[in-house]
Amino acid sequence: MRAVIVAAAVAFIISLLGTPVAIRVFTALKAGQPIRSIGLASNQGKKGTPTMGGVVFIVATVFAYVAGHIALTTLPERQIAQEGPTMTALVLLGLFVFCGAVGFFDDFLKVRQRNSDGLSAKGKLLGQAIVSAGFGIAALYVPSTNGQTVASEHISLIRDISWLDVGKVGAVMVIVFVITAMSNGVNLTDGLDGLATGASILVLGAYALIGFWQYRHWCADDAYGRVNDYCYQVRDPLEIAIIAAAAAAACVGFLWWNTSPARIFMGDVGALGLGGLIGGLAVVTRTTLLSIMIGGLFVIITTTWVIQIVSFRTTGRRVFRMVPLHHHFELAGWSEVNIVVRFWIVAGVCVAVGLGLFYSDFLAVIG
């Protein structure tokens, strides 16, 4: 627990103090957020607000992990700490950084061209697919000394589903889909001040709890795993908890400046990075299908976007006034703050249900 707290505290402080520095830097560089001319008139006032703020909480998370890992190596031997970073940490942080890099390139093009086009949809998807495939290959083909890999060849719900073995190639394809879908889900959600940031805090906090719970009931822990048959077959769960907690705390520090009226936007660098990390956390904790509930708000917003596109292209009719979904409610007369808070409530309910399902599985096994 000490390592998790240290990482969270360091991430929060770096993000809280680093974001105003980023605001001044990006303002000086004239890295303002372009706003679509066909968008809502109420959003035109946000034009020029500095973007790419996600760089701050990505950097904060990486530094916080280092601090947390240093604290981890001072724990007693039974805690199974190691000197260097684990493969789990490397693939998760790599996923966070490189998904963010795809978003950074998109943001850079928007700022340079002074429009909201940026990277093409195909280019963005290709970048996400390459990064997530690299993550999947490293997670499945690089085992630890005991032969355990970061990811599994099975589809998972709360644990691996034994009869859903899709093989390594199939598992990589599933991983690419999960990470790409979650990355785009967070990106679609990032349309109002603080909306995606607050929802991500809730989801990342849930994965910090899941990672720590798995660590406390870890099969690799000699004091627990050898005498219990309901332990969790995951790799480096405490490292997972450290990274998830650090990312959540870094987003809290960023939210101080990102809440309405936002002084800085996370940009695609932040949205794609956060979505990629959340998808990666689902894979490494063996909760791939459960992530549909835990990240329920992102799933809802993505699903409604798909419904709108399919309906318009097949029938010429729109189901919603505008997508993503939060803009539908803006056109319905809801204020921005009301939408954000209510969507946070939806995200919180989804997270609570997801954690409840996770814990109920544990109760069912030991019962």
Side-chain angles (χ1 to χ4, degrees):
M1 176 61 81
R2 180 174 62 186
V4 176
I5 293 174
V6 167
V10 170
F12 173 75
I13 292 171
I14 292 176
S15 186
L16 182 66
L17 300 181
T19 302
V21 176
I23 293 172
R24 291 194 292 271
V25 170
F26 289 132
T27 299
L29 294 174
K30 298 182 179 179
Q33 176 68 46
I35 304 294
R36 291 185 301 170
S37 59
I38 61 173
L40 293 169
S42 59
N43 289 335
Q44 294 304 313
K46 300 180 181 181
K47 186 176 182 179
T49 301
T51 187
M52 302 188 197
V55 170
V56 178
F57 55 71
I58 291 175
V59 171
T61 301
V62 173
F63 277 98
Y65 165 74
V66 174
H69 189 80
I70 291 173
L72 177 60
T73 58
T74 65
L75 296 174
E77 186 178 356
R78 73 171 287 272
Q79 308 285 352
I80 318 179
Q82 65 180 56
E83 293 299 325
T86 63
M87 177 56 69
T88 303
L90 289 176
V91 295
L92 282 176
L93 291 175
L95 184 63
F96 197 16
V97 171
F98 285 106
C99 279
V102 175
F104 182 87
F105 186 56
D106 184 41
D107 287 331
F108 175 78
L109 290 178
K110 291 177 183 177
V111 171
R112 183 178 182 181
Q113 297 168 359
R114 301 301 182 199
N115 61 49
S116 60
D117 293 338
L119 193 62
S120 68
K122 290 182 179 179
K124 193 181 298 186
L125 284 172
L126 178 62
Q128 291 170 311
I130 292 172
V131 172
S132 53
F135 165 85
I137 292 170
L140 283 163
Y141 287 89
V142 184
S144 63
T145 53
N146 65 0
Q148 188 177 19
T149 55
V150 174
S152 169
E153 297 178 29
H154 295 78
I155 303 295
S156 59
L157 176 59
I158 297 172
R159 304 167 187 268
D160 283 342
I161 302 173
S162 59
W163 52 272
L164 279 180
D165 187 341
V166 295
K168 279 187 168 63
V169 175
V172 171
M173 294 175 65
V174 171
I175 288 170
V176 169
F177 175 78
V178 169
I179 292 173
T180 301
M182 194 62 74
S183 184
N184 284 301
V186 176
N187 196 28
L188 288 172
T189 305
D190 182 34
L192 299 180
D193 295 351
L195 176 55
T197 308
S200 296
I201 290 168
L202 295 170
V203 175
L204 290 166
Y207 274 111
L209 291 174
I210 288 173
F212 190 75
W213 183 264
Q214 289 178 331
Y215 164 69
R216 296 300 297 173
H217 304 86
W218 191 20
C219 294
D221 188 343
D222 291 341
Y224 187 88
R226 293 183 180 179
V227 296
N228 294 279
D229 57 3
Y230 52 89
C231 55
Y232 294 94
Q233 287 283 359
V234 295
R235 182 171 164 180
D236 312 312
L238 188 54
E239 295 265 284
I240 295 171
I242 289 172
I243 292 172
C251 286
V252 173
F254 180 76
L255 183 60
W256 182 271
W257 307 99
N258 180 236
T259 192
S260 183
R263 292 185 57 189
I264 188 170
F265 298 139
M266 67 168 67
D268 278 12
V269 58
L272 297 188
L274 284 174
L277 177 61
I278 291 169
L281 289 168
V283 170
V284 301
T285 56
R286 311 291 203 268
T287 58
T288 303
L289 295 178
L290 186 65
S291 67
I292 297 173
M293 177 55 68
I294 294 176
L297 178 65
F298 306 136
V299 174
I300 291 170
I301 289 177
T302 303
T303 302
T304 54
W305 181 83
V306 172
I307 290 172
Q308 181 87 325
I309 298 299
V310 172
S311 175
F312 187 74
R313 289 183 177 178
T314 56
T315 68
R317 297 181 179 179
R318 292 181 172 86
V319 178
F320 306 97
R321 291 182 173 92
M322 188 177 182
V323 289
L325 188 60
H326 37 274
H327 295 319
H328 167 85
F329 289 103
E330 278 192 291
L331 290 174
W334 292 21
S335 70
E336 180 173 3
V337 173
N338 277 343
I339 297 170
V340 170
V341 172
R342 288 168 181 171
F343 275 40
W344 283 352
I345 293 172
V346 172
V349 170
C350 291
V351 164
V353 173
L355 289 175
L357 292 172
F358 178 82
Y359 186 61
S360 66
D361 171 78
F362 177 80
L363 293 179
V365 172
I366 65 174

